Amino acid sequence: MKISVYHTPEEVPAGSLPDCAIAIDVLRATTTMAAAFHAGAEAIQVFSELDKLLADSESWPAQSRIRAGERGGQKVEGFDLGNSPLDHSPEQTKGKRLFMSTTNGTRCLQRIQEAPIVLTAALTTRQSVVDYLLSNQPDTVWLVGSGWEGEYSLEDTVCAGAIIQRGLEQAGLDLATTIGNDSALAAVSLYCQWQTELGKLLYHASHGQRLLSKNNTADLDYCAQLDILDIVPIQQSPGVLVWKQ
Ligand code: MLT
């Protein structure tokens, strides 16, 4: 298994695809997706355009849909929810389809949606993603950070490093044959440096600072937790994620 890391969707090589592409948006989209499935979401349909989300979700019965729109870290006017993982509880979400659009995370997913296998990952689901990779053994894997408007995000890259490092440890993988590019080794190094202080790293990160400026420490603390959910959202059809228990 050869694992490459791309810090943002813009970095992924045009005209090629891996066997398995994994979107990472720790703050907060892929953390929120896992939390929604944990709360019982039927499926998550992702959109890069808010208007298309509203139009496509119109045909879905209102009592079994949730429209979640976020831009700039804030809930979009007229949507049911923003993009907090803490919004989702069984009472709120169980059995419903989440129609979701965020600043970066859903755009990342659209960039990789043609890969044969598309997953999402977060720090909260790191171990379950590693278990999936080790049991399915795709030859080539891309870990793709969502970044922020094209810029690098510390939290997404540290999550990529956490996935690779755990895989190396758990399966005794050889670093030289597993690492697919320089960013992958840099991601492992970042994780090894910060693995005991992930919360502190997220507070330092620019998007962490953005959330702190809105007094949103609760989301930051939730998103920094490692391996708390055994959930691997997988793309069932372009733009539609499910989680098969
Ligand atoms: C993103 O898509 O960049 C994030 O999920 C934004 C956020 O909701 O904090």
Side-chain angles (χ1 to χ4, degrees):
M1 183 163 53
K2 186 73 81 175
I3 306 176
S4 298
V5 170
Y6 300 96
H7 301 304
T8 66
E10 289 76 12
E11 282 187 9
V12 303
S16 68
L17 284 169
D19 297 314
C20 175
I22 303 178
I24 301 173
D25 187 357
V26 167
L27 293 175
R28 302 169 291 175
T30 55
T31 303
T32 298
M33 290 170 187
F37 281 121
H38 181 59
E42 173 262 340
I44 298 176
Q45 206 161 336
V46 296
F47 297 80
S48 50
E49 302 302 329
L50 294 168
D51 292 346
K52 187 165 184 347
L53 183 158
L54 291 171
D56 287 12
S57 58
E58 198 52 44
S59 62
W60 210 265
Q63 69 277 13
S64 53
R65 78 179 180 219
I66 298 172
R67 289 165 163 164
E70 169 276 330
R71 288 294 183 270
Q74 299 280 67
K75 174 176 163 308
V76 176
E77 191 63 37
F79 279 67
D80 303 314
L81 296 178
N83 186 28
S84 170
L86 302 177
D87 284 342
H88 295 283
S89 63
E91 298 72 27
Q92 164 77 40
T93 305
K94 189 170 173 53
K96 296 182 183 177
R97 176 162 294 206
L98 191 62
F99 293 84
M100 186 177 184
S101 180
T102 69
T103 309
N104 303 281
T106 50
R107 195 169 46 80
C108 178
L109 269 164
Q110 294 219 321
R111 176 65 190 81
I112 62 173
Q113 70 178 12
E114 300 306 318
I117 302 170
V118 175
L119 310 177
T120 66
L123 290 171
T124 54
T125 64
R126 183 277 306 256
Q127 183 62 61
S128 50
V129 170
V130 170
D131 293 341
Y132 178 96
L133 291 175
L134 295 181
S135 58
N136 289 276
Q137 289 292 327
D139 286 340
T140 53
V141 179
W142 288 357
L143 300 176
V144 185
S146 299
W148 182 269
E149 295 176 351
E151 291 293 311
Y152 171 93
S153 283
L154 269 174
E155 67 276 8
D156 295 345
T157 297
V158 81
C159 183
I163 291 167
I164 300 172
Q165 180 58 19
R166 188 80 194 94
L168 293 171
E169 291 164 352
Q170 188 168 321
L173 299 176
D174 171 57
L175 183 74
T177 55
T178 304
I179 294 291
N181 63 358
D182 289 359
S183 297
L185 186 52
V188 169
S189 308
L190 179 69
Y191 172 69
C192 290
Q193 175 68 32
W194 286 91
Q195 58 187 312
T196 59
E197 297 182 296
L198 291 171
K200 194 172 175 182
L201 179 69
L202 265 57
Y203 273 62
H204 281 307
S206 54
H207 193 39
Q209 288 293 311
R210 204 170 286 120
L211 291 170
L212 282 175
S213 70
K214 300 174 173 67
N215 299 317
N216 194 345
T217 54
D219 279 11
L220 265 173
D221 295 341
Y222 179 88
C223 294
Q225 298 176 102
L226 202 53
D227 304 336
I228 61 164
L229 295 180
D230 185 11
I231 287 178
V232 182
I234 186 166
Q235 182 174 264
Q236 183 180 63
S237 57
V240 180
L241 297 165
V242 294
W243 171 54
K244 299 186 182 81
Q245 296 188 25

